[in-house]
Amino acid sequence: MIVGFDNGEEYRQVAPDDVSAQSPQLLPPSLRRAAGGDFQRHQGKDEAMRQPMSINIADAHLGIWQDNPNDPSFRSEIYGVLIRDMRARGWSIRQDPETRRRFNCISHSKRLGARGTLRCAIQISGRVVEVDFWSITAPQVNRNGRRYDFDKMRRMSHIDQLRVELEYRRITAWLETLAKVTVSRRYERDLPPMKFIEKRYAESYHSDKALGRPVCNYDYNRKSKDGALLEHGQTVWLADDKGRLIRGTAYYNINSMWWVVAGGKLHNESCGSLFSKQPDDLRTKRNERARRSRLEKELAIAVERMDFLRAQALKGILFGSEQTFMIWARDHGAYYRSNYAGYTTDRIHAGKYTRAEAEAECRRCPHDLEMVCQDGSHVRFEQKKAA
């Protein structure tokens, strides 16, 4: 066996006098790219004997699964070759800098890619290689980035959707030259809500064979927001993404999650967010978290602009005459943001909390959290000692 490097990539050469009989993984990357489809017609016996694999496609996610998690060739022949083939198609793929900075020991298992307006994340874990796609031109909802939005395919432009579908087809066609492949699309948003629920019930391992659907066996998985126990198929009320109450029909999903069909749309909600009875004031919006986040954001903008009269008015709306505090996380070296979600090193954009809120959170994790007063002093709360 001869080991060589081609443009910084390692390869193994077994039969240099007969390149047509070799698998693509055993040749220099430049030769493999130049040969193109010839290697699909001249496969090595080792490739043909790979164990069966399954491809699961869900929205903008593709997962390549095999049964054996201890197969060392899965990394070199699937994960490694997938990255090289995507590079040959014009993708720029590099290490994930955040993973390398925080978890360097697993950075070799995670990669980020870019091509035009598309981005991708590739990772290997045990017996699965996962590829997630998103578009930088799609409308962003998640504050942490488009990568973490739901319905990424639907948010993409039509041309980006076609490009992702083309990647799915290319990856599937390549894997079919290596082993027997089963392809399944498990998340089809275009189905009507009830058809989608029926499909998920048919595919679920948790479905009761007699009923044809999962059964909720624990009361804490069906306890509603108003304290009643939910029943499969009953009418419920819930808040939509704008905080307005809507009415729908609940169907059990799994654990504490319930499907709700309301207004022709499908919602996947926790039992703790559903009302079993019609709330008294239907006109009152249930958007406390969104309201507070928006007001705190406006407060920070007013302070940055030195519009202190507006800042004082916003503070009065949020907290009245109460004194406000911040929460410092020692393990992150940063302040909590609003609603206990996220971190920042900027005092202006740090979340503001009442004394009761800040003290309760700091006492929950006294080894990590400190309460920060308005004068900048930090207050620690002693951890309770075991008796």
Side-chain angles (χ1 to χ4, degrees), residues 288-298 338-339:
E288 294 83 1
R289 285 181 62 86
R291 173 183 179 273
R292 179 159 177 173
S293 293
R294 177 62 185 274
L295 288 173
E296 287 200 35
K297 182 179 179 180
E298 293 296 327
S338 177
N339 283 321

Side-chain angles (χ1 to χ4, degrees), residues 230-302:
L230 298 174
E231 296 292 341
H232 182 84
Q234 82 167 75
T235 300
V236 294
W237 287 259
L238 70 153
D240 64 9
D241 55 359
K242 296 183 182 297
R244 297 293 184 187
L245 284 174
I246 57 176
R247 184 179 66 180
T249 306
Y251 302 92
Y252 184 60
N253 180 10
I254 187 174
N255 297 330
S256 64
M257 303 304 294
W258 291 69
W259 300 116
V260 180
V261 180
K265 295 182 179 180
L266 182 65
H267 305 262
N268 189 22
E269 301 288 336
S270 168
C271 61
S273 65
L274 305 177
F275 294 92
S276 63
K277 297 180 181 179
Q278 178 177 307
D280 295 332
D281 189 0
L282 294 177
R283 292 184 177 273
T284 301
K285 294 180 73 174
R286 270 67 175 180
N287 63 339
E288 294 83 1
R289 285 181 62 86
R291 173 183 179 273
R292 179 159 177 173
S293 293
R294 177 62 185 274
L295 288 173
E296 287 200 35
K297 182 179 179 180
E298 293 296 327
L299 174 61
I301 292 173

Side-chain angles (χ1 to χ4, degrees), residues 199-376:
K199 181 176 184 294
R200 293 301 297 270
Y201 283 168
E203 295 174 348
S204 176
Y205 293 104
H206 303 279
S207 292
D208 182 89
K209 292 183 179 180
L211 296 176
R213 62 174 176 84
V215 177
C216 183
N217 297 316
Y218 303 99
D219 287 347
Y220 56 78
N221 281 336
R222 62 189 187 106
K223 190 173 184 180
S224 65
K225 193 169 185 176
D226 49 16
L229 297 180
L230 298 174
E231 296 292 341
H232 182 84
Q234 82 167 75
T235 300
V236 294
W237 287 259
L238 70 153
D240 64 9
D241 55 359
K242 296 183 182 297
R244 297 293 184 187
L245 284 174
I246 57 176
R247 184 179 66 180
T249 306
Y251 302 92
Y252 184 60
N253 180 10
I254 187 174
N255 297 330
S256 64
M257 303 304 294
W258 291 69
W259 300 116
V260 180
V261 180
K265 295 182 179 180
L266 182 65
H267 305 262
N268 189 22
E269 301 288 336
S270 168
C271 61
S273 65
L274 305 177
F275 294 92
S276 63
K277 297 180 181 179
Q278 178 177 307
D280 295 332
D281 189 0
L282 294 177
R283 292 184 177 273
T284 301
K285 294 180 73 174
R286 270 67 175 180
N287 63 339
E288 294 83 1
R289 285 181 62 86
R291 173 183 179 273
R292 179 159 177 173
S293 293
R294 177 62 185 274
L295 288 173
E296 287 200 35
K297 182 179 179 180
E298 293 296 327
L299 174 61
I301 292 173
V303 172
E304 283 183 329
R305 294 175 176 173
M306 293 191 290
D307 187 353
F308 299 118
L309 290 177
R310 176 174 170 78
Q312 183 65 27
L314 290 169
K315 181 178 179 295
I317 294 173
L318 277 165
F319 305 104
S321 59
E322 283 193 72
Q323 188 178 5
T324 59
F325 299 82
M326 296 179 292
I327 299 174
W328 176 258
R330 293 197 298 271
D331 56 337
H332 286 80
Y335 299 100
Y336 268 28
R337 284 187 176 270
S338 177
N339 283 321
Y340 313 94
Y343 302 91
T344 180
T345 56
D346 188 346
R347 288 175 61 92
I348 293 177
H349 291 275
K352 307 302 186 290
Y353 302 89
T354 64
R355 174 182 284 275
E357 291 171 339
E359 185 171 337
E361 180 67 8
C362 292
R363 287 189 183 279
R364 186 181 67 85
C365 298
H367 54 286
D368 283 335
L369 304 178
E370 300 173 357
M371 186 172 72
V372 183
C373 304
Q374 288 186 336
D375 60 1

Side-chain angles (χ1 to χ4, degrees), residues 48 130 239:
E130 298 175 284

